[in-house]
Amino acid sequence: ATRLVSWSRAGGPGVRLNWRAGALQGDDVVWVSPQGDPNILMKASLSVYTNLPGFWPWVDRVNVVTGAVNRVLPPRTGIFHWYADAAGRVRLGYGYNDERSVSSYVYRADDKGFFKTIDRAAEMKLEELIQPVMLLPDPNKFIARSEHEGFGALYEYDVTTGSYGPKIFGHPRHDVGGVVLSADETRIDGVRITEERTRTEWLDPDLKQLQADLDKALPNRFVRIVNLDRARMRALVEVSSPTLPPAWWVMD
């Protein structure tokens, strides 16, 4: 079972975050404010059994300083993952029906409206389900990963028409495996590509240059940029190799 605890950088005891509503996975963070607001969004549930009350998760606003909890989204039968946009509005939910082997997504344009099913796919029939990777300020669109043109690539998806727009990014020989969002989650800074190993193809020019500098400074090692400060003057990086376990470094 997993649980979440927060600590102040100044020290002191940890704060248990929503431990009473954890079931098995009690550390699922849905959203963190890029501005430093102490209130985060967490998924919560009470049971691991689908036939008991409290199985389908809801979303709470949790204060990482005080531990105070307030519910912001009630549970919805059939949905067990929730996603928020950059402003902290829960707008997307994912569900899976085990009896029918059917996956689905529900969506709403803001945090006030009703959720509607925007896509469902039967796993046994090898149907493709949309794969959202970033919610956009435009309430009718988000960025999604799709393989409808061959290799997995990124497209803008129009919810109102249920169709993909022009390709935003794709690799000629490999699937896009995932994305790296900016700190404020308003843009895609990089994409994950797996060749001989998984690497990040940086779309942001500053991060692309930083990666090149790190690779030069630490040759024959795998260097992954984990995080940056807001001024982008200090970077936290993970460094490893086939013979070295991962270590964490700070680059000024």
Side-chain angles (χ1 to χ4, degrees), residues 17 21 26 67 83 115 146 151 157 160 195 217 224 237 242 248:
L17 302 181
Y83 305 91
F115 285 97
S146 175
F151 288 111
Y157 184 84
T160 57
E195 299 170 325
R224 182 174 68 90
V237 298
W248 289 49

Side-chain angles (χ1 to χ4, degrees), residues 216-233:
K216 182 178 180 180
L218 298 166
N220 303 318
R221 303 186 194 186
F222 304 149
V223 184
R224 182 174 68 90
I225 300 172
V226 177
N227 209 340
L228 295 163
D229 67 356
R230 293 181 185 176
R232 289 193 168 189
M233 297 301 295

Side-chain angles (χ1 to χ4, degrees), residues 6 24 26 60 77 90 115 141 181 226 235:
S6 67
L24 279 179
D60 287 329
T77 300
V90 181
F115 285 97
K141 295 180 180 179
L181 301 181
V226 177

Side-chain angles (χ1 to χ4, degrees), residues 2-252:
T2 56
R3 292 293 183 267
L4 200 66
V5 183
S6 67
W7 279 275
S8 167
R9 288 184 298 174
V15 179
R16 298 180 178 184
L17 302 181
N18 214 10
W19 276 31
R20 294 184 178 181
L24 279 179
Q25 295 180 338
D27 63 342
D28 194 341
V29 177
V30 176
W31 175 80
V32 176
S33 169
Q35 285 77 38
D37 188 314
N39 293 290
I40 66 174
L41 297 182
M42 289 182 63
K43 187 183 80 173
S45 62
L46 293 173
S47 174
V48 298
Y49 301 104
T50 58
N51 62 332
L52 293 181
F55 172 79
W56 302 109
W58 59 90
V59 178
D60 287 329
R61 179 176 288 108
V62 182
N63 189 295
V64 300
V65 177
T66 66
V69 178
N70 293 285
R71 186 170 299 188
V72 298
L73 183 73
R76 179 185 175 103
T77 300
I79 303 299
F80 51 76
H81 284 301
W82 294 106
Y83 305 91
D85 62 15
R89 300 173 297 185
V90 181
R91 292 168 46 193
L92 187 71
Y94 170 78
Y96 180 74
N97 186 309
D98 192 44
E99 294 180 356
R100 300 178 181 177
S101 297
V102 172
S103 300
S104 61
Y105 275 104
V106 296
Y107 180 83
R108 63 181 180 178
D110 52 37
D111 56 356
K112 307 296 182 184
F114 296 99
F115 285 97
K116 67 175 183 178
T117 301
I118 59 171
D119 194 25
R120 57 168 53 93
E123 186 177 278
M124 299 301 291
K125 298 180 181 179
L126 300 180
E127 295 176 346
E128 183 187 12
L129 187 72
I130 57 173
Q131 302 175 48
V133 297
M134 188 179 79
L135 295 170
L136 298 173
D138 185 332
N140 298 316
K141 295 180 180 179
F142 55 76
I143 304 299
R145 178 189 178 278
S146 175
E147 299 174 4
H148 71 276
E149 291 184 334
F151 288 111
L154 302 180
Y155 302 84
E156 190 175 84
Y157 184 84
D158 192 314
V159 178
T160 57
T161 63
S163 60
Y164 293 99
K167 184 186 295 184
I168 295 174
F169 179 85
H171 193 280
R173 300 182 306 277
H174 301 282
D175 292 320
V176 171
V179 300
V180 181
L181 301 181
S182 61
D184 58 6
E185 298 188 357
T186 60
R187 67 182 183 276
I188 297 174
D189 279 346
V191 297
R192 303 291 191 197
I193 303 292
T194 300
E195 299 170 325
E196 290 80 9
R197 61 181 178 86
T198 300
R199 65 177 181 83
T200 302
E201 178 88 12
W202 292 109
L203 308 182
D204 181 283
D206 293 336
L207 292 176
K208 187 172 185 176
Q209 182 61 53
L210 175 60
Q211 183 73 62
D213 293 342
L214 287 165
D215 291 340
K216 182 178 180 180
L218 298 166
N220 303 318
R221 303 186 194 186
F222 304 149
V223 184
R224 182 174 68 90
I225 300 172
V226 177
N227 209 340
L228 295 163
D229 67 356
R230 293 181 185 176
R232 289 193 168 189
M233 297 301 295
R234 288 164 60 86
L236 185 65
V237 298
E238 182 188 78
V239 182
S240 64
S241 78
T243 58
L244 293 173
W248 289 49
W249 296 46
V250 173
M251 179 180 183
D252 192 306

